[in-house]
Amino acid sequence: MIEAKKIKFHFDNHDYEALTQKIGSSVWVYFQGKTYSIPATDQNLKSRHKSKSANAGVTAILSPMPGKITKVLLSAGQNAEVGQVVIVMEAMKMEYTLKSELKAKIKKVMTKVGDQVALGQILIEFESSSNKAGEKK
Amino acid sequence: MIEAKKIKFHFDNHDYEALTQKIGSSVWVYFQGKTYSIPATDQNLKSRHKSKSANAGVTAILSPMPGKITKVLLSAGQNAEVGQVVIVMEAMKMEYTLKSELKAKIKKVMTKVGDQVALGQILIEFESSSNKAGEKK
Amino acid sequence: MKKINRLAIANRGEVAVRIIKACEELGIETVLLHSEADMGSRAYRLATKKICIGGAQTNQSYLNIPANIQGALASGADAVHPGFGFLSENADFAEAVEKAGLIFVGPSANSIRLLGDKISCKQLAAKAGLPLIPGYSGKDQSLDCLISEAEKIGYPVIVKAAAGGGGRGMKLIKNSTEAKELIESAQRESLSAFGSEQVFLEKYLDRAKHIEFQIFGDSSGRVVHLFDRECSVQRRHQKIIEEAISSSLSEDLRKKMGEAAVSLATLGKYKGAGTVEFLLQDGKFYLLEVNTRLQVEHSVTEMVLGVDLVKAQILTAQGDFIFKTQDHSPRGHAIEGRVYAENPYQGGIPSTGLLGHVSFPEGPGRRFEYGFESGDQITSFYDPMIAKVIVWDESRPRAIQKMIKVLEGSVIFGVHTNIPYLIAILKHPEFINGTMTTRFIENNFAEGLKVPALAEKEKILFEKVLSAHKPSLSLQDAQGGIKTNSPWNQSWRIL
Amino acid sequence: MKKINRLAIANRGEVAVRIIKACEELGIETVLLHSEADMGSRAYRLATKKICIGGAQTNQSYLNIPANIQGALASGADAVHPGFGFLSENADFAEAVEKAGLIFVGPSANSIRLLGDKISCKQLAAKAGLPLIPGYSGKDQSLDCLISEAEKIGYPVIVKAAAGGGGRGMKLIKNSTEAKELIESAQRESLSAFGSEQVFLEKYLDRAKHIEFQIFGDSSGRVVHLFDRECSVQRRHQKIIEEAISSSLSEDLRKKMGEAAVSLATLGKYKGAGTVEFLLQDGKFYLLEVNTRLQVEHSVTEMVLGVDLVKAQILTAQGDFIFKTQDHSPRGHAIEGRVYAENPYQGGIPSTGLLGHVSFPEGPGRRFEYGFESGDQITSFYDPMIAKVIVWDESRPRAIQKMIKVLEGSVIFGVHTNIPYLIAILKHPEFINGTMTTRFIENNFAEGLKVPALAEKEKILFEKVLSAHKPSLSLQDAQGGIKTNSPWNQSWRIL
């Protein structure tokens, strides 16, 4: 692993120094008591952005964190209400419920109880034209 | 500056781990609560060794540390007695006296008061066939 | 009476490191009983020996009693320290350790059953005359029964794991519509975390302070208390900031609560380090529960009292140590902040990943306990607490000021942490005044933190940083990290 | 009464870092007044502002009064902290700071003159009825006079810098033949270190313990003591290991010595942190000297008493702090080991160079104060002390045990250090028994350390290390480093 680097810059008659390190696809920065992380793979982001725009009619619940699915409460063809719990997952010994943010019909359930899922993995696909779906409680 | 590296080895049915780093011409090693430094330039050492052997009739007082010469008590042509103070130097705010370890005539004084000298720098050259000369008090 | 020469640690993370340090100082070898996922951890690197006892899933390793016993025996250990969490309050484990001929560093299995089980503890406390919170702790654990008992108590009601602790398996039920879901959730969490799905119900006290007493029993049956801690700053019943000693107790109240704690622990024949937790509301205190183990926040007690509780545990297990309460009086003020791997700008969502640069600004009266270093992975298998930052100073205001500085000087790259959240709490007037209750977070930080606007100099820095790492990269303010559902939505770019 | 907003530090190394940390916690900005040689140092990186005040040679920078004053004024500082060593006991400097309209963090110039000058201090102490060591402290500083006075006192005699401290400008004269050389040497060192060549003579007490009392005076003239330290482990009159509190004092003696220290400091109208040093021999104590400044070993007092002496200094300088002695009583035991950049296998010869990896094993009751990090140069211009390792534990035996572990876990690459020497001292029966006198080093470690023989596994490791760094290198055991005069003499090779 490459060490963190110091970066110096000048602004408004002052010299500043920050600490920075690229880890995976993010660049981390520490400056004046605060830590920032900046995604450094805009290629990747752009392509995902485009593919989403292209399928504007489909929305989904993505996994908000890596973890284990402990409960799936609805199945394909069923309707989800706004605020209804659709998925329960566990991460770092805490349980998180994923609720639907829209009233919509489920097109596909893409996970099952016991699955280890990754951050951003699609869990539920809706048939809907809304573009908001799934939020952590 | 390159980071210290871990090094693993196996001996007598045990796995061990040490920390190591090359700094300048030395390799530093930390193992089981002890720190070692190993000169990593034997080429250099060998050549100095040889040149010394070739001039076996000349001995010298070398500076045992980097520092500043604050007093030179004898000059070329004078005789040093065993234990006689020849040079006084200062390093890290402490004074160190360099005494002659042999009874010999001084061939050349190669430093003067106020000089900043390096570790191993020749300060006094003797005319003698003895091969021990100059030791820190 | 038996000198411990090699001690097995049935735990991981920072507490495993804490135990290793204590053993090193006592000249005791350590054996880390670890899962497959923990070979890149500080405890793994520091332990004298390490034995892999199973897979990453806790039921395969850290909650697996036979695997732990087998590992301890195979390593030639003569004692087992359970740390906190996992099997630390599991009486069967304590018993299995003793049966295997090893010393269990903790109370007897009997004490754990009496005091650690929340329900039997309440029964014992009632005998000892301690004030209890109204609730239900019956044997009928059917959903119907639990829901009807909750109705009887009257909402809000808390459902808790009988074998639990640390906020896991604990849910606040505000009304009847969410009762079923939350009770089931508590049962599942309890099963996963503690291996038992028994729960109980309590009336929720809505303006209470969390005050707890450190107790310590020697092998002769004598129990003393080592003063109090306040842990009112909690989120989802999980402590975030702890202090010693509480600034909310009168000397009279401190004396009464301390005596209550000691009388209960004495009745439970308590040995070693433990904690009696209370809620304090309107000047009245109620027993909350007893934790029959070392507490995460033991460090603040150590700093104000000048004791080493982990060494005391080990020495007591050997039979050669006695705490004399009269020798101890608190001095100054200590605060602990738990550093969680989570994103404070997204409601505390867990954050996992490869750790990069990690550094803490050491100095007088500062202590850093951490389990992971640069190059280690933070996984989703275990508790999100990756470090503890502890400060001591001569007074509470000075300790708060120091803590803010120390947190600002702490750098963790690779996962998001709650450090900005901790700083915001420390700067809140209610915390500064010491008037916070267990609803402090709910009342003041329900929305989480807002991503602060970037100053011009920060934008310039980020531009420079990105071009240093890779030219022509666009920039997204990710102090809040990737937005959960739509990572591209809220980015901004330097044009 | 005036709040300090920006404080200039007329010092370097670990004490500068210590002052910066205290200021950070008090919300005070810092200005490092540094030499050209100190831009690669931790204090340089941590200070809010830095001003270069001159060349590497101390008389051009750290001993240059006008340069320091000018730097402090240019930076907009409102106070100056002198640290220890350098100008910290220079009354002219204190005066110059005050004349420039800045606050001097320390006693008044008058107090420094009265107590800091070893000769006037003895006169004051005589008035206060303190027991003094027989000696000569007259104005006639001619070599002839000093030699004849030494003869009168009777060898062994110590010659000391009147303005000195820290073992510099101090020599032990064992007989008349070495008197001239050593007196001259003391004068030169004194001039170089303190800017004055005045010396005095004292009878050498050959089985004495070094015991000192931390004193603290508030702005109202009230002086208290904060208990004692023992610093008997000295080499060339330079302290190596210090402890608080001394294990050699009866309560009666502690009371008497503490009262003597306070009465002398009160007579000197002492303000802020200072130290009254005594020698204790055969149950009788003698005034040694007063240090009118923060002491290197202040940290051990902080750890056993629960105080922050640097913050107390700054707060006292602002006029808003008062130590109340009755609030303080010592707890547990603290030990400090000074880490010197020197080669313990060659009689402590200084070691300089580029620092590589540096790490300290943090943990409860451990404190590390250091001025240099990986990538910094250790030069020959300044004091060889590059770090301090301080531990606290509940008892002296436990503190010793902890200190050994902590030193073994400390890694410094790039310069040789006295860490093996410190460990050898801590393991010596005389130290463990607490019976050591100031001649402990002379009696037990006169020869320095012997390079230990290498075990087979170490040889295998070294071979592996060398081949990893560069194939076909030969190996020389250099735990003792390059032998001074003949680096090739005592090498050994793997064949």
Side-chain angles (χ1 to χ4, degrees):
Chain A
M1 164 166 289
I2 293 154
E3 253 184 303
K5 285 187 293 196
K6 280 180 188 167
I7 199 157
K8 288 178 184 187
F9 70 105
H10 191 86
F11 173 70
D12 202 14
N13 274 325
H14 280 85
D15 288 317
Y16 295 101
E17 196 176 272
L19 194 68
T20 173
Q21 186 174 22
K22 187 163 182 293
I23 304 167
S25 59
S26 291
V27 174
W28 293 77
V29 182
Y30 171 79
F31 179 58
Q32 295 189 330
K34 286 181 191 155
T35 298
Y36 307 85
S37 116
I38 311 169
T41 53
D42 65 340
Q43 267 71 16
N44 181 26
L45 288 176
K46 272 179 198 157
S47 65
R48 283 172 72 186
H49 194 179
K50 272 172 201 152
S51 76
K52 176 161 187 279
S53 306
N55 299 293
V58 181
T59 54
I61 296 182
L62 309 188
S63 174
M65 66 197 110
K68 195 170 100 178
I69 303 299
T70 53
K71 219 168 177 181
V72 180
L73 293 118
L74 292 179
S75 50
Q78 287 189 290
N79 281 308
E81 298 298 317
V82 174
Q84 186 177 357
V85 176
V86 182
I87 298 266
V88 181
M89 63 184 293
E90 189 185 291
M92 288 175 161
K93 299 289 115 192
M94 296 292 289
E95 193 177 278
Y96 296 87
T97 53
L98 307 186
K99 294 181 182 176
S100 178
E101 268 210 348
L102 69 165
K103 184 178 165 71
K105 192 172 182 182
I106 292 175
K107 189 180 168 194
K108 213 169 172 183
V109 175
M110 302 182 74
T111 189
K112 61 179 191 304
V113 170
D115 280 3
Q116 277 287 337
V117 297
L119 169 71
Q121 187 174 326
I122 298 175
L123 307 177
I124 298 280
E125 247 182 57
F126 290 107
E127 281 173 10
S128 157
S129 61
S130 163
N131 60 3
K132 286 184 82 186
E135 190 176 81
K136 200 188 90 26
K137 192 183 91 172
Chain B
M1 163 166 289
I2 294 154
E3 253 185 303
K5 284 186 294 196
K6 278 178 188 167
I7 199 156
K8 287 177 185 187
F9 70 107
H10 190 86
F11 173 70
D12 202 15
N13 273 325
H14 281 84
D15 287 317
Y16 295 102
E17 195 176 272
L19 195 69
T20 173
Q21 185 174 24
K22 187 164 183 290
I23 305 168
S25 59
S26 290
V27 175
W28 293 77
V29 182
Y30 171 79
F31 179 59
Q32 295 189 328
K34 286 181 189 155
T35 298
Y36 307 84
S37 112
I38 310 169
T41 54
D42 67 339
Q43 268 70 16
N44 181 25
L45 289 175
K46 272 180 196 155
S47 64
R48 284 171 71 186
H49 194 178
K50 271 171 201 151
S51 76
K52 176 158 189 281
S53 305
N55 298 297
V58 180
T59 55
I61 296 181
L62 309 188
S63 174
M65 67 199 110
K68 196 168 100 178
I69 303 299
T70 52
K71 219 165 175 181
V72 180
L73 292 119
L74 292 178
S75 51
Q78 286 190 290
N79 281 308
E81 297 298 318
V82 174
Q84 187 177 357
V85 176
V86 183
I87 299 267
V88 180
M89 63 183 293
E90 188 185 290
M92 289 178 159
K93 300 286 116 192
M94 295 292 291
E95 194 177 278
Y96 296 86
T97 54
L98 307 185
K99 294 180 180 176
S100 178
E101 269 209 349
L102 69 168
K103 184 177 164 72
K105 192 173 183 180
I106 291 175
K107 189 181 168 191
K108 212 168 174 183
V109 174
M110 302 182 73
T111 189
K112 60 180 192 301
V113 170
D115 278 4
Q116 276 287 339
V117 297
L119 169 71
Q121 187 173 326
I122 299 174
L123 307 177
I124 299 281
E125 247 183 57
F126 290 106
E127 282 174 7
S128 157
S129 62
S130 162
N131 60 4
K132 284 186 82 185
E135 189 176 83
K136 200 189 91 14
K137 191 183 90 173
Chain C
M1 320 298 158
K2 192 198 160 201
K3 166 91 180 80
I4 295 170
N5 293 308
R6 186 178 292 167
L7 181 140
I9 298 162
N11 216 304
R12 65 186 297 281
E14 67 84 23
V15 70
V17 173
R18 173 74 185 86
I19 296 164
I20 291 169
K21 298 261 168 182
C23 287
E24 278 177 0
E25 292 174 11
L26 292 171
I28 295 171
E29 290 189 336
T30 51
V31 181
L32 187 72
L33 305 174
H34 64 87
S35 82
E36 283 166 7
D38 275 334
M39 290 169 69
S41 73
R42 198 165 163 236
Y44 185 89
R45 286 184 286 275
L46 290 173
T48 322
K49 285 191 159 199
K50 23 255 166 182
I51 289 192
C52 183
I53 54 162
Q57 301 290 345
T58 52
N59 57 358
Q60 291 170 27
S61 47
Y62 298 111
L63 289 177
N64 183 337
I65 294 179
N68 276 282
I69 300 289
Q70 211 179 317
L73 287 173
S75 72
D78 36 28
V80 175
H81 195 306
F84 40 67
F86 299 127
L87 295 170
S88 62
E89 297 186 277
N90 187 312
D92 295 342
F93 182 55
E95 210 159 61
V97 169
E98 299 282 353
K99 266 194 193 145
L102 307 172
I103 297 171
F104 181 75
V105 180
S108 69
N110 237 356
S111 292
I112 297 177
R113 288 207 178 92
L114 270 171
L115 295 169
D117 180 273
K118 310 296 174 259
I119 295 166
S120 91
C121 177
K122 278 173 185 279
Q123 291 161 352
L124 199 68
K127 269 191 221 161
L130 268 71
L132 299 176
I133 304 165
Y136 169 79
S137 54
K139 281 189 181 164
D140 188 344
Q141 291 281 306
S142 69
L143 208 52
D144 284 351
C145 167
L146 290 167
I147 291 172
S148 92
E149 287 293 337
E151 306 280 342
K152 268 191 243 166
I153 295 165
Y155 297 106
V157 162
I158 283 193
V159 52
K160 294 181 182 176
R168 280 163 305 167
M170 190 184 299
K171 303 278 164 182
L172 173 61
I173 311 170
K174 285 183 189 142
N175 53 60
S176 61
T177 58
E178 55 183 26
K180 179 170 175 292
E181 180 195 329
L182 292 172
I183 290 170
E184 284 183 323
S185 165
Q187 287 172 326
R188 273 194 308 274
E189 268 189 39
S190 173
L191 187 63
S192 157
F194 311 105
S196 147
E197 59 180 2
Q198 197 182 9
V199 297
F200 65 98
L201 306 171
E202 264 176 5
K203 175 83 187 160
Y204 180 58
L205 300 179
D206 65 353
R207 52 186 185 282
K209 279 180 164 288
H210 177 112
I211 309 282
E212 59 186 35
F213 276 73
Q214 176 69 48
I215 51 165
F216 205 97
D218 70 21
S219 7
S220 75
R222 173 184 176 162
V223 179
V224 302
H225 77 76
L226 296 167
F227 291 84
D228 49 287
R229 297 184 283 259
E230 173 160 357
C231 320
S232 297
V233 180
Q234 304 183 354
R235 182 198 52 186
R236 301 186 217 122
H237 313 290
Q238 198 171 34
K239 294 163 187 166
I240 303 177
I241 290 182
E242 300 104 332
E243 304 175 71
I245 58 178
S246 169
S247 58
S248 311
L249 296 187
S250 65
E251 277 320 298
D252 180 52
L253 204 50
R254 174 164 287 126
K255 192 163 172 290
K256 276 187 194 150
M257 290 173 78
E259 283 167 0
V262 167
S263 74
L264 178 59
T266 306
L267 210 58
K269 295 194 172 37
Y270 201 80
K271 197 184 80 175
T275 297
V276 180
E277 297 189 332
F278 297 101
L279 288 179
L280 175 68
Q281 182 165 301
D282 303 333
K284 283 184 200 154
F285 66 93
Y286 306 87
L287 176 70
L288 188 61
E289 61 183 53
V290 176
N291 289 326
T292 59
R293 52 163 169 92
L294 190 70
Q295 206 93 330
V296 175
E297 59 270 26
H298 73 278
S299 321
V300 290
T301 295
E302 292 184 331
M303 291 190 93
V304 296
L305 277 178
V307 295
D308 186 319
L309 289 168
V310 179
K311 283 201 217 174
Q313 284 187 304
I314 296 166
L315 293 167
T316 300
Q318 286 187 167
D320 61 353
F321 190 91
I322 297 169
F323 261 124
K324 296 196 185 80
T325 196
Q326 59 274 20
D327 288 352
H328 296 95
S329 60
R331 192 159 73 186
H333 195 81
I335 304 178
E336 170 177 287
R338 299 191 188 189
V339 178
Y340 290 113
E342 62 179 37
N343 193 325
Y345 300 105
Q346 291 187 10
I349 201 164
S351 176
T352 59
L354 178 65
L355 280 186
H357 179 89
V358 174
S359 63
F360 298 103
E362 58 66 50
R366 307 175 183 191
R367 196 169 134 184
F368 306 97
E369 311 258 353
Y370 53 97
F372 305 95
E373 296 168 301
S374 182
D376 292 343
Q377 282 280 353
I378 302 300
T379 68
S380 65
F381 296 114
Y382 310 110
D383 192 277
M385 191 180 84
I386 54 168
K388 301 181 338 192
V389 172
I390 307 122
V391 303
W392 176 94
D393 211 323
E394 293 178 40
S395 66
R396 188 172 186 269
R398 267 169 63 164
I400 293 173
Q401 204 174 358
K402 181 183 272 191
M403 186 58 137
I404 292 169
K405 274 289 157 198
V406 168
L407 288 171
E408 285 176 349
S410 299
V411 187
I412 298 175
F413 283 172
V415 294
H416 297 279
T417 74
N418 66 334
I419 287 177
Y421 196 72
L422 293 171
I423 292 170
I425 293 168
L426 290 161
K427 289 181 172 172
H428 194 281
E430 210 176 307
F431 182 81
I432 292 168
N433 294 338
T435 53
M436 65 285 181
T437 70
T438 57
R439 294 183 68 193
F440 169 76
I441 294 292
E442 186 188 339
N443 292 341
N444 298 292
F445 293 93
E447 298 295 306
L449 295 188
K450 280 191 187 145
V451 178
L454 290 182
E456 196 55 38
K457 66 182 170 194
E458 287 161 335
K459 292 180 192 172
I460 284 165
L461 165 63
F462 291 175
E463 200 168 18
K464 195 164 163 123
V465 162
L466 280 177
S467 71
H469 284 286
K470 199 174 173 187
S472 83
L473 269 182
S474 73
L475 178 59
Q476 171 179 342
D477 166 28
Q479 188 173 5
I482 296 172
K483 186 73 171 64
T484 306
N485 303 310
S486 42
W488 44 83
N489 269 352
Q490 305 199 330
S491 69
W492 61 267
R493 286 159 196 277
I494 287 177
L495 298 172
Chain D
M1 321 302 156
K2 191 197 159 205
K3 167 89 181 83
I4 295 170
N5 292 308
R6 186 178 291 168
L7 181 141
I9 299 162
N11 216 302
R12 65 185 296 281
E14 66 85 24
V15 70
V17 173
R18 174 73 185 84
I19 297 163
I20 291 169
K21 298 261 167 183
C23 287
E24 280 177 358
E25 293 174 10
L26 292 170
I28 295 172
E29 290 189 336
T30 51
V31 182
L32 187 72
L33 305 174
H34 64 87
S35 83
E36 283 166 8
D38 275 334
M39 290 169 70
S41 73
R42 199 166 162 235
Y44 185 88
R45 286 183 286 275
L46 290 174
T48 323
K49 285 191 159 200
K50 20 254 167 181
I51 290 192
C52 183
I53 54 163
Q57 300 290 345
T58 52
N59 56 358
Q60 291 170 27
S61 47
Y62 298 110
L63 289 176
N64 183 338
I65 294 179
N68 276 282
I69 300 289
Q70 211 179 316
L73 287 173
S75 71
D78 37 29
V80 175
H81 195 306
F84 40 68
F86 297 127
L87 296 171
S88 62
E89 297 186 277
N90 187 312
D92 295 342
F93 182 56
E95 210 159 61
V97 168
E98 299 281 355
K99 265 194 194 146
L102 307 173
I103 297 171
F104 181 76
V105 179
S108 69
N110 237 355
S111 291
I112 297 176
R113 288 207 178 91
L114 270 171
L115 294 169
D117 180 274
K118 311 295 175 263
I119 294 165
S120 90
C121 176
K122 276 171 185 280
Q123 291 162 352
L124 199 68
K127 268 191 222 161
L130 268 69
L132 298 175
I133 305 165
Y136 169 78
S137 53
K139 283 191 180 163
D140 187 345
Q141 292 280 307
S142 69
L143 208 51
D144 284 350
C145 166
L146 289 167
I147 291 170
S148 91
E149 288 292 337
E151 307 278 343
K152 265 191 246 167
I153 295 164
Y155 297 106
V157 162
I158 283 195
V159 53
K160 294 182 182 176
R168 281 166 300 171
M170 190 183 302
K171 303 277 165 182
L172 173 61
I173 312 170
K174 285 181 190 143
N175 53 59
S176 60
T177 57
E178 54 184 28
K180 178 171 175 292
E181 180 195 329
L182 290 172
I183 290 171
E184 285 183 322
S185 166
Q187 288 172 326
R188 274 195 307 273
E189 269 189 37
S190 173
L191 187 62
S192 158
F194 312 106
S196 149
E197 60 178 2
Q198 197 182 10
V199 296
F200 65 98
L201 306 171
E202 264 175 6
K203 176 79 185 162
Y204 180 58
L205 301 179
D206 65 354
R207 55 186 182 282
K209 279 180 164 289
H210 177 113
I211 310 280
E212 59 186 37
F213 276 74
Q214 176 68 48
I215 51 166
F216 205 96
D218 69 21
S219 7
S220 77
R222 174 184 173 162
V223 179
V224 301
H225 77 76
L226 296 166
F227 291 83
D228 48 288
R229 296 183 283 260
E230 172 159 355
C231 320
S232 297
V233 180
Q234 304 182 354
R235 182 198 51 186
R236 302 185 217 124
H237 312 291
Q238 199 171 34
K239 294 162 187 167
I240 303 177
I241 290 181
E242 301 104 333
E243 303 175 72
I245 59 177
S246 169
S247 58
S248 310
L249 296 188
S250 64
E251 277 320 297
D252 181 53
L253 205 50
R254 174 164 287 126
K255 191 164 173 288
K256 276 186 194 151
M257 291 172 76
E259 282 167 1
V262 167
S263 74
L264 178 59
T266 305
L267 210 59
K269 296 193 170 38
Y270 201 79
K271 196 184 81 174
T275 297
V276 180
E277 297 189 332
F278 297 100
L279 287 179
L280 174 69
Q281 182 165 303
D282 302 333
K284 285 183 198 155
F285 66 92
Y286 306 88
L287 176 71
L288 189 61
E289 63 183 52
V290 176
N291 289 326
T292 59
R293 53 163 167 93
L294 189 70
Q295 206 94 331
V296 175
E297 59 270 26
H298 73 278
S299 321
V300 289
T301 295
E302 293 185 330
M303 289 190 95
V304 294
L305 278 178
V307 295
D308 186 321
L309 288 167
V310 179
K311 282 201 216 174
Q313 284 187 303
I314 296 166
L315 293 168
T316 300
Q318 286 186 165
D320 61 352
F321 190 92
I322 296 169
F323 260 122
K324 295 196 186 81
T325 196
Q326 58 275 18
D327 288 350
H328 296 94
S329 61
R331 191 160 75 186
H333 196 81
I335 304 178
E336 170 177 286
R338 299 192 187 189
V339 178
Y340 289 114
E342 61 180 39
N343 193 327
Y345 300 104
Q346 290 187 10
I349 201 164
S351 176
T352 59
L354 177 66
L355 280 186
H357 178 89
V358 174
S359 64
F360 298 103
E362 59 64 50
R366 306 175 182 189
R367 196 168 132 183
F368 306 98
E369 311 257 352
Y370 54 97
F372 305 95
E373 297 167 301
S374 182
D376 292 343
Q377 282 281 353
I378 303 300
T379 69
S380 66
F381 297 114
Y382 311 110
D383 191 277
M385 191 180 81
I386 53 168
K388 301 181 336 192
V389 173
I390 307 123
V391 302
W392 177 94
D393 211 323
E394 294 179 40
S395 67
R396 187 172 186 269
R398 266 170 64 165
I400 293 173
Q401 204 174 358
K402 181 184 271 191
M403 186 60 138
I404 292 170
K405 275 289 156 197
V406 168
L407 288 171
E408 285 176 350
S410 299
V411 187
I412 298 175
F413 283 172
V415 295
H416 297 279
T417 74
N418 67 335
I419 287 177
Y421 196 72
L422 293 172
I423 292 171
I425 294 168
L426 290 161
K427 290 181 173 175
H428 195 281
E430 210 175 307
F431 182 81
I432 292 168
N433 294 337
T435 53
M436 65 284 182
T437 70
T438 57
R439 294 182 69 192
F440 169 77
I441 294 292
E442 185 189 340
N443 291 341
N444 298 292
F445 294 93
E447 298 295 307
L449 296 188
K450 278 188 188 148
V451 178
L454 290 181
E456 196 55 38
K457 65 182 169 193
E458 287 161 337
K459 292 181 192 171
I460 284 166
L461 165 63
F462 291 177
E463 201 169 13
K464 194 166 163 116
V465 162
L466 281 177
S467 71
H469 284 286
K470 199 173 172 188
S472 84
L473 269 182
S474 73
L475 177 61
Q476 173 178 341
D477 166 27
Q479 188 174 7
I482 295 171
K483 185 71 173 68
T484 306
N485 302 310
S486 41
W488 44 83
N489 268 352
Q490 303 198 332
S491 68
W492 62 267
R493 285 159 197 276
I494 287 177
L495 297 172

